[in-house]
């Protein structure tokens, strides 16, 4: 008996040292065949056209193209998001920020949130999906990324009235007026990799995530400095700012934001013990 397609793909992925060969094999076969991943097993047979698509997909994967960018979607937090080469792939680490933001929204009855660098929309749309009374604004300088965020908004059935997308760069002088502040909460996963470290990243990241979503300037801090400078204007009194950060950056980021008048509220570590999400609060000025 000939080997099943499923086993054949698993073997190829193992040889290429792909970390989750069984899961990835099921997702690739499902995408090629147009079926649900949980139906793929040793009995799965493919039509000729699907076999050709699968071959192409495996070749891309063996060339280190990330799985989600091959199959066009990725599970994040509670939902599935459309992705392509124009957005940063949603990362499990960022789910920490979403969870922290969701708790604050719930406990404070917040009604508005701004996402700086909305990308695929995985952070902002997860929050809007969980809280039907919440209004969101998503800013990105990449129109191609905003297109993906809009597709995800439609796929997740979030009403148009509850979200606005703004095509803008936070380094622009008039950014605050463009966005329409203040907000109860501001969230951001800005580019934070020091420019000279980018070439050291995995091929999956450096060749397939947009450079503009990774490159944080010489020390990785350019966006934090800029956001800290405008944060008081973006936030309502007692509002929270939540940022994802890179390894060893937390202390510097805390200094940048407290120097700009925000109070450090909490730092949350990811599953590897790395300080990954920092929360600040705008002190009531009354
Ligand atoms: N977390 C990404 C990485 O692992 C970086 C994302 C970012 O710069 N915001 O490389």
């Amino acid at each position: 008996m000939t080997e099943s397609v499923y086993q054949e793909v698993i073997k190829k992925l193992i040889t290429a040292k792909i970390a989750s060969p069984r899961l990835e094999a099921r997702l690739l076969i499902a995408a090629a065949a147009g079926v649900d991943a949980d139906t793929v097993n040793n009995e799965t047979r493919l039509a000729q056209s699907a076999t050709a698509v699968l071959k192409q997909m495996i070749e891309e994967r063996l060339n280190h193209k990330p799985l989600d960018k091959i199959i066009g979607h990725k599970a994040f937090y509670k939902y599935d998001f459309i992705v392509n080469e124009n957005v940063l792939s949603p990362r499990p680490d960022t789910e920490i920020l979403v969870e922290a933001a969701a708790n604050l929204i719930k406990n404070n009855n917040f009604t508005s949130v701004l996402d700086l660098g909305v990308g695929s929309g995985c952070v902002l749309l997860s929050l809007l999906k969980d809280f039907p009374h919440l209004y969101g604004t998503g800013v990105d300088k990449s129109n191609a990324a905003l297109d993906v965020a809009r597709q995800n908004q439609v796929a997740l059935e979030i009403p148009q009235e509850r979200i606005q997308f703004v095509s803008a760069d936070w380094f622009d002088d008039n950014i605050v007026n463009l966005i329409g502040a203040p907000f109860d909460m501001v969230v951001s996963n800005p580019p934070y990799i020091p420019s000279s470290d980018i070439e050291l990243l995995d091929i999956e990241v450096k060749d397939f995530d947009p450079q503009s979503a990774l490159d944080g300037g010489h020390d990785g801090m350019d966006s934090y400095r800029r956001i800290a400078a405008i944060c008081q204007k973006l936030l309502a009194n007692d509002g929270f700012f939540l940022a994802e950060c890179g390894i060893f950056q937390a202390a510097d980021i805390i200094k940048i934001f407290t120097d700009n008048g925000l109070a450090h509220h909490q730092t949350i570590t990811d599953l590897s013990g790395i300080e990954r999400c920092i929360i600040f609060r705008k002190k009531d000025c009354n």
Side-chain angles (χ1 to χ4, degrees):
M1 199 184 128
T2 55
E3 192 172 42
S4 73
V5 181
Y6 180 45
Q7 292 302 328
E8 223 179 285
V9 178
I10 289 173
K11 264 193 199 159
K12 284 187 185 152
L13 297 179
I14 289 176
T15 310
K17 300 193 165 45
I18 304 288
S20 304
R22 285 168 187 79
L23 173 62
E24 292 212 7
R26 266 190 286 111
L27 288 166
L28 287 168
I29 294 167
V35 299
D36 283 344
D38 59 2
T39 67
V40 174
N41 58 34
N42 284 335
E43 271 70 57
T44 304
R45 301 279 175 271
L46 296 184
Q48 224 170 20
S49 56
T51 304
V53 173
L54 180 63
K55 193 166 169 246
Q56 169 70 28
M57 286 178 159
I58 293 170
E59 197 174 306
E60 290 181 337
R61 188 67 189 104
L62 300 189
N63 285 322
H64 300 284
K65 186 166 180 177
L67 178 84
D68 62 326
K69 286 184 169 142
I70 299 172
I71 65 176
H73 61 98
K74 182 157 183 180
F76 172 85
Y77 190 58
K78 301 179 188 172
Y79 311 104
D80 204 48
F81 290 88
I82 297 162
V83 299
N84 66 20
E85 68 281 6
N86 297 311
V87 296
L88 186 85
S89 290
R91 315 275 211 266
D93 292 335
T94 309
E95 293 171 343
I96 291 164
L97 185 149
V98 176
E99 253 171 26
N103 283 330
L104 290 170
I105 291 167
K106 193 167 81 189
N107 296 338
N108 295 280
N109 293 315
F110 284 157
T111 56
S112 63
V113 59
L114 166 69
D115 185 347
L116 292 174
V118 69
S120 65
C122 65
V123 172
L124 182 63
L125 298 172
S126 291
L127 295 172
L128 290 175
K129 190 77 187 156
D130 271 8
F131 296 95
H133 63 276
L134 189 67
Y135 287 81
T137 297
V139 174
D140 212 292
K141 67 178 176 185
S142 160
N143 285 316
L146 290 175
D147 278 348
V148 176
R150 282 193 193 93
Q151 287 177 46
N152 280 315
Q153 176 215 328
V154 172
L156 292 169
E157 299 177 332
I158 291 167
Q160 191 66 48
E161 315 82 72
R162 291 181 49 217
I163 189 159
Q164 63 157 345
F165 291 112
V166 180
S167 171
D169 184 337
W170 52 72
F171 288 98
D172 284 354
D173 288 341
N174 64 342
I175 184 70
V176 178
N177 299 330
L178 274 178
I179 295 175
F183 297 86
D184 292 332
M185 175 181 280
V186 178
V187 296
S188 187
N189 176 13
Y192 55 64
I193 307 290
S195 304
S196 56
D197 287 357
I198 289 188
E199 61 177 25
L200 309 174
L201 299 173
D202 290 344
I203 297 175
E204 265 95 343
V205 178
K206 71 175 172 194
D207 287 356
F208 295 97
D209 278 318
Q211 291 286 310
S212 58
L214 297 172
D215 192 341
H218 74 283
D219 60 354
M221 298 287 170
D222 283 1
S223 285
Y224 299 107
R225 278 187 285 267
R226 175 61 184 155
I227 294 170
I230 57 175
C231 214
Q232 294 279 1
K233 292 188 185 132
L234 295 176
L235 279 174
N237 278 341
D238 290 325
F240 286 93
F241 172 65
L242 291 83
E244 179 170 316
C245 70
I247 189 163
F248 305 137
Q249 291 180 330
D252 288 345
I253 293 171
I254 291 169
K255 174 150 178 34
I256 291 170
F257 279 85
T258 51
D259 281 354
N260 280 275
L262 272 87
H264 176 228
H265 178 75
Q266 194 186 357
T267 301
I268 308 175
T269 52
D270 66 18
L271 292 174
S272 318
I274 295 166
E275 293 177 317
R276 186 59 73 188
C277 174
I278 315 179
I279 306 177
F280 298 94
R281 190 162 204 188
K282 178 171 168 176
K283 294 176 208 156
D284 194 338
C285 306
N286 293 327

